[in-house]
Amino acid sequence: MSGYGFIGASEKALADQGKKAALSDYLRRLDKALAWSREHPDDYAKAIQQTSGASPEIAKALVSQANSELEPVSPQVVQAVQKVGDTMHGIGVLNPNPTVADHVDTSLVKE
């Protein structure tokens, strides 16, 4: 696994300027929330406990393992994910083998 997670959007949504603006706004808000979670891990763990009923130990484990930073999709990210795709294709669980770079839109990167 590459360790990266992605937020997906359809080509149709990205072509719609209103939806694209809403996606951009969501990414800005998500970035702020992730920054808060990094700066306040104990409060974040408490929030997980309150909303999910998780034990303090589980909540702390979730916080420590969370995707905690929103980053633009760089060539290095594409390469890392392509390597995973190639491996999955090589062992027969991903067919066909996509070219990751063909499915990346960097127009919504944070400023």
Side-chain angles (χ1 to χ4, degrees), residues 7 23-41 44 67-71 110-111:
I7 297 171
L23 288 166
S24 184
D25 178 61
Y26 168 74
L27 293 174
R28 281 191 298 277
R29 290 171 189 255
L30 177 60
D31 193 41
K32 287 180 184 180
L34 291 171
W36 179 89
S37 72
R38 288 190 307 274
E39 295 164 8
H40 303 91
Y44 185 34
N67 289 329
S68 61
E69 193 168 353
L70 186 65
E71 298 179 0
K110 67 180 182 175
E111 299 169 3

Side-chain angles (χ1 to χ4, degrees), residues 2-3 7 12-13 20 22 28-30 32 40-41 45-46 50 58-59 63 65 69-70 85 90 97-98 107 110:
S2 68
I7 297 171
K12 184 176 178 182
K20 192 169 186 173
R28 281 191 298 277
R29 290 171 189 255
L30 177 60
K32 287 180 184 180
H40 303 91
K46 287 177 188 173
Q50 292 171 350
I58 296 295
V63 168
Q65 297 173 12
E69 193 168 353
L70 186 65
N97 189 20
S107 65
K110 67 180 182 175

Side-chain angles (χ1 to χ4, degrees), residues 34-105:
L34 291 171
W36 179 89
S37 72
R38 288 190 307 274
E39 295 164 8
H40 303 91
D42 293 336
D43 291 333
Y44 185 34
K46 287 177 188 173
I48 290 172
Q49 285 177 254
Q50 292 171 350
T51 59
S52 70
S55 70
E57 295 79 19
I58 296 295
K60 286 180 183 181
L62 290 170
V63 168
S64 72
Q65 297 173 12
N67 289 329
S68 61
E69 193 168 353
L70 186 65
E71 298 179 0
V73 181
S74 67
Q76 294 81 10
V77 169
V78 171
Q79 183 179 14
V81 175
Q82 186 67 58
K83 184 176 179 181
V84 172
D86 293 345
T87 299
M88 300 297 278
H89 178 72
I91 62 173
V93 296
L94 181 61
N95 229 350
N97 189 20
T99 300
V100 174
D102 292 347
H103 303 281
V104 172
D105 182 318

